Amino acid sequence: MPATSETPAPPVNGKGLTLWLRLAVVGLVAVAAALVLITNQWLTERFTETTRSRAELRLALYTGNLISELQRNSVVPVLLANDPSLLGALQNGVFSGTSQRLISFQSELGAALILLLDAEGRTVGATDRNRIGTQHRQDPYFVEALRSKDTVFTSWKRETGAYGFTFSRALVADNKMRGVVVVEVDLMKYERAWSGFADAVAVINSEGQVVLATEPRWRGRTLDEALQLRDAPSAIERALKVTADWTQNPPDAYVKGEAVMRTEARIPFRGWRMVAFTRYDSVREQVNAFLALEIMGFAILLAAGFYLLSRRARFQSRAFQRESAELRLLNARLQREIAEREKVQHDLEAAEQTLAQSSKLAVLGEMSAAVSHELNQPLAAMKTYLAGARLLLQRRRPDEALSSFQRIDDLIDRMGAITRQLKSYARKGGEAFAPVDLRSCVGEALSMMEPQLKPRRVRILRTLPREPVMVMADRIRLEQVIINLLRNALDATRDVPAPQIDIILTRGDTATLLVRDNGPGISDLDKLFEPFWTTKKPGEGVGLGLAISSGIVADLGGRLTARNTEGGAVFEMQLPILGDGMKAAE
């Protein structure tokens, strides 16, 4: 058939065509995404800026109205404080025409409420006659007016939750305080006016509390606390919010779970601020309309591209079959290589354990001379005590001879303790971790190092906490690390006139052990933990102690570091405290 004879040629052209179609689809998707993002960004910024300008204009108008109302009412107490009829009424105690006088002032000045209080805080005149006789001695506007010679502004929270605002001033005649005039400012009318718009408006005082707000629940709270007040959204509301917010820049804030634009202005009065929150409804609607048309056009183009790609799918399936056979062969070869690598890794771990044991045996070899000297002293003393006991028995003094035998028994126990430490240190460390007190490990390490420390007359300063420092570790391997650090510090102070080693153990988030010496320091910190790197002379060390110690600490879930200080070198070992250490060991 003709198709059979032409089969070999099309695959090359088919691959090229498929690649071209794929590139075209990818390019179309990239162009579509870029164009949608650019359009979204540009339109969002444009419409958002327009909305923000309108919000700033409204905010400037609100601020001007508010400051005008406050300034207009602030001069009323000054005028009333110099009114001779009010001063005369307070001096004479005759208040029959006082309220009518205040009502006439109210109609002229436009104040919400005017009160005249006598020196005891009792209302003797008011534009609201129902307030006559009420007591205000404990109210802040009365107390603050008595303390100041000027007009005092006071705001306080009413029982209803709304705030009241007053200007008050003391009336003084003949250098004596006669009373207080109080002018109440009605700022709640602006709240009612602001509520007619879509914006949420709040006025914040210098202490950060909301004193006026179109949302009644905001009053008396900080702005951050007020914005967190919201009803639990339903699943549909959450879905609508997710699909709507992507068409805009990150919102300035959320009011009742809805993204809003925040506009802020300063009120030139006692550090007040006004904040308005405008919804993005108009911005979303206009931007989404443009984006919907763009996405629809690109979707039609993509559908055509996918249709062309689907026709080439059968040619690709044949290539996939060939590739699957090659992948099976490659998988088999990789499995063989993985098995070989696991065997090598197992051999490497065994070699590392053998190397660590060899390092411990080398340390034991260095200890042997000092230990033999330590054992010779008890042996010489035992010989002396035996000779004395024999002489005492000959002289028939058995009680004194028994005391010599007791001293010999004590010396034998001391020799046994020395040999037990060496035998315990020579054992191989196991893989089973157990809770270990790091303080006891430091003590055991110092006991094993005692024969080497005594001849050198090194000053050892230990700083250990009183409570246990428990870690999850192999005790033998942990003691090996501490001994290696002590040996390094001992070697570093060999040529120092007054050698000193500080051992500091602390407990915090981790257990930290510091071993500090006053030697010359470390010449090359980068190579310190590399195997076979050492600064000792040939025959004194092979450079494996710190490399092995670093590996042991890493196995325990910690880390070992070193640094130089002005007076020597410091090695720092950090291990997890018991709870974290068990997880690291697992």
Side-chain angles (χ1 to χ4, degrees), residues 295-330:
I295 293 173
M296 184 181 299
F298 284 116
I300 294 174
L301 294 177
L302 283 176
F306 284 125
Y307 171 73
L308 294 176
L309 285 176
S310 64
R311 297 183 59 184
R312 316 305 303 177
R314 62 177 180 271
F315 296 104
Q316 296 177 354
S317 63
R318 297 176 185 175
F320 290 155
Q321 291 176 359
R322 292 192 298 269
E323 291 176 0
S324 63
E326 295 175 358
L327 288 175
R328 283 194 294 270
L329 295 176
L330 180 60

Side-chain angles (χ1 to χ4, degrees), residues 450 452-460 490 496-500:
E450 184 178 359
Q452 293 176 280
L453 295 172
K454 274 187 177 181
R456 290 284 308 281
R457 299 183 181 276
V458 180
R459 185 183 181 189
I460 305 294
L490 189 62
V496 177
Q500 178 176 322

Side-chain angles (χ1 to χ4, degrees), residues 74-82 90 115-117 141-142 144-146 148-153 166-172 177-183:
S74 65
V75 300
V76 176
V78 180
L79 298 176
L80 296 180
N82 297 317
L90 290 172
L115 301 177
L116 180 64
L117 311 180
Y141 45 79
F142 179 78
E144 294 295 331
L146 294 181
S148 176
K149 297 180 179 179
D150 298 324
T151 302
V152 177
F153 177 79
T166 58
F167 288 100
S168 58
R169 188 181 180 95
L171 280 73
V172 179
M177 199 280 294
R178 301 295 182 176
V180 174
V181 61
V182 180
V183 178

Side-chain angles (χ1 to χ4, degrees), residues 294-578:
E294 285 187 355
I295 293 173
M296 184 181 299
F298 284 116
I300 294 174
L301 294 177
L302 283 176
F306 284 125
Y307 171 73
L308 294 176
L309 285 176
S310 64
R311 297 183 59 184
R312 316 305 303 177
R314 62 177 180 271
F315 296 104
Q316 296 177 354
S317 63
R318 297 176 185 175
F320 290 155
Q321 291 176 359
R322 292 192 298 269
E323 291 176 0
S324 63
E326 295 175 358
L327 288 175
R328 283 194 294 270
L329 295 176
L330 180 60
N331 186 28
R333 189 171 66 182
L334 288 176
Q335 288 180 353
R336 290 194 298 271
E337 291 182 0
I338 291 172
E340 292 176 359
R341 288 180 180 271
E342 289 178 349
K343 183 177 181 301
V344 171
Q345 185 69 22
H346 179 73
D347 295 341
L348 181 60
E349 291 177 357
E352 288 178 352
Q353 292 181 359
T354 304
L355 194 60
Q357 185 67 12
S358 300
S359 175
K360 291 203 303 185
L361 294 176
V363 174
L364 286 173
E366 295 179 10
M367 293 181 181
S368 60
V371 171
S372 63
H373 175 73
E374 193 74 13
L375 293 177
N376 283 335
Q377 292 178 351
L379 287 173
M382 289 170 59
K383 187 174 181 180
T384 303
Y385 286 139
L386 284 173
R390 185 183 298 110
L391 182 61
L392 291 172
L393 290 174
Q394 290 176 356
R395 295 181 179 180
R396 301 181 183 276
R397 294 160 63 182
D399 294 337
E400 297 180 16
L402 286 176
S403 64
S404 297
F405 290 138
Q406 182 62 41
R407 293 190 184 98
I408 293 171
D409 186 58
D410 294 339
L411 291 172
I412 292 173
D413 290 340
R414 175 172 174 78
M415 294 169 65
I418 294 173
T419 56
R420 279 195 302 272
Q421 289 176 357
L422 293 176
K423 288 168 62 179
S424 173
Y425 184 69
R427 282 193 299 110
K428 274 192 173 183
E431 293 297 331
F433 291 175
V436 177
D437 188 355
L438 201 52
R439 300 180 306 168
S440 63
C441 293
V442 173
E444 290 293 333
L446 286 172
S447 298
M448 284 186 276
M449 290 292 295
E450 184 178 359
Q452 293 176 280
L453 295 172
K454 274 187 177 181
R456 290 284 308 281
R457 299 183 181 276
V458 180
R459 185 183 181 189
I460 305 294
L461 297 180
R462 286 187 292 179
T463 303
L464 305 179
R466 294 183 179 180
E467 65 276 3
V469 182
M470 305 300 295
V471 297
M472 185 66 67
D474 178 4
R475 186 185 189 91
I476 302 301
R477 298 175 70 190
L478 188 55
E479 291 177 2
Q480 178 183 357
V481 173
I482 300 174
I483 289 175
N484 283 338
L485 297 180
L486 291 175
R487 288 181 64 247
N488 282 336
L490 189 62
D491 293 339
T493 58
R494 180 173 299 173
D495 300 327
V496 177
Q500 178 176 322
I501 299 175
D502 297 335
I503 303 173
I504 303 173
L505 177 61
T506 58
R507 173 194 176 103
D509 295 336
T510 60
T512 304
L513 177 66
L514 296 178
V515 178
R516 180 170 57 203
D517 61 69
N518 60 345
I522 302 168
S523 60
D524 194 344
L525 288 171
D526 295 334
K527 298 182 179 180
L528 183 61
F529 296 103
E530 294 182 3
F532 304 107
W533 185 87
T534 180
T535 58
K536 298 178 182 178
K537 298 178 181 179
E540 294 183 358
V542 294
L544 292 175
L546 290 178
I548 293 172
S549 299
S550 179
I552 292 174
V553 174
D555 292 341
L556 299 179
R559 64 173 184 171
L560 179 62
T561 57
R563 64 180 183 276
N564 287 321
T565 61
E566 295 181 358
V570 176
F571 284 86
E572 181 177 337
M573 179 179 67
Q574 293 184 348
L575 293 174
I577 298 296
L578 181 58

